[in-house]
Amino acid sequence: DLLMLYKADSQELKLDKERVHLNHLFNDLYEDIQILALEKKIGVSLEMKDEYYINGDKIRLRQLFLNLLENAVKYNIPGGKIKIFIFEENEKIIVEISDTGIGVMPDDAEKIFDRFYRADKSRNRKIMGSGLGLSISKWIVEKHGGSINFRSTPNEGSVFLVVFPKERAAAAALK
């Protein structure tokens, strides 16, 4: 993660752009995340209303969404739920990942995308991590011409929204 961020900062990391079929990407991720969720008996659902394509780096997009989904498992409660919902709205492709986990405290909300930031250590002492996943995720989204936001309620869960321009708009933005 550190090496990736160093290369990104020094402009050494180049994206290998291609037409990415999000449905295929998420079908694979869905299978992977179900395995991770088994230990905590977390239910995972995936809903896609249509076929979705974006212009992007398939490996980095997988990394982005795997980071978000691993966090949804890591910070969830036993028996909780994760929902992945992909839809189109106003010429944008939106990926919504929600969980029923511990949520983010209001004081931590503005810092969660900062490098090395880990929310209140006493709440997640047993949860391993470097505090780089969300920073990397934000970088990947922004390099794809998109945005990432979230909303959260402590002890109820979080919702992450990743918004990309549709493929035809994304191609121009990524040149």
Side-chain angles (χ1 to χ4, degrees):
D1 288 346
L2 280 173
L3 180 60
M4 191 210 136
L5 284 172
Y6 170 77
K7 287 183 175 186
D9 286 347
S10 63
Q11 308 299 317
E12 291 180 38
L13 187 63
K14 304 293 182 214
L15 298 181
D16 185 18
K17 300 169 201 147
E18 62 183 290
R19 186 174 194 231
V20 177
H21 190 209
L22 286 181
N23 301 64
H24 290 164
L25 178 67
F26 272 95
N27 282 330
D28 289 344
L29 285 168
Y30 177 71
E31 290 177 17
D32 293 344
I33 208 63
Q34 282 188 315
I35 294 167
L36 292 175
L38 273 176
E39 185 179 328
K40 290 172 81 174
K41 296 182 170 83
I42 296 170
V44 182
S45 66
L46 171 62
E47 184 180 344
M48 298 178 275
K49 300 256 185 217
D50 205 347
E51 299 289 312
Y52 302 103
Y53 296 89
I54 64 170
N55 186 20
D57 185 313
K58 189 176 188 177
I59 291 170
R60 295 296 169 213
L61 289 169
R62 179 176 172 71
Q63 181 181 15
L64 154 70
F65 292 116
L66 191 56
N67 278 345
L68 295 176
L69 290 167
E70 284 176 341
N71 280 351
V73 170
K74 200 185 302 187
Y75 295 101
N76 215 323
I77 58 172
K81 291 183 171 54
I82 296 170
K83 181 179 177 186
I84 307 161
F85 181 43
I86 305 171
F87 59 100
E88 181 181 335
E89 185 176 279
N90 300 325
E91 295 296 310
K92 305 231 183 267
I93 305 298
I94 301 169
V95 178
E96 180 179 290
I97 298 174
S98 61
D99 66 61
T100 56
I102 63 173
V104 177
M105 299 302 284
D107 291 347
D108 295 318
E110 65 187 49
K111 302 173 198 156
I112 67 165
F113 292 107
D114 293 350
R115 291 181 188 178
F116 303 109
Y117 186 77
R118 301 226 33 231
D120 182 2
K121 311 288 189 277
S122 64
R123 292 180 77 214
N124 57 26
R125 217 175 291 155
K126 296 177 186 173
I127 300 173
M128 300 301 292
S130 63
L132 292 173
L134 289 178
S135 178
I136 290 170
S137 296
K138 183 178 180 188
W139 180 86
I140 294 169
V141 170
E142 289 174 350
K143 286 298 181 184
H144 284 83
S147 63
I148 183 169
N149 295 294
F150 80 101
R151 62 184 183 274
S152 185
T153 304
N155 303 314
E156 290 183 23
S158 299
V159 179
F160 281 81
L161 294 167
V162 179
V163 181
F164 294 109
K166 281 182 69 172
E167 183 188 21
R168 62 181 172 272
L174 292 174
K175 288 185 180 178

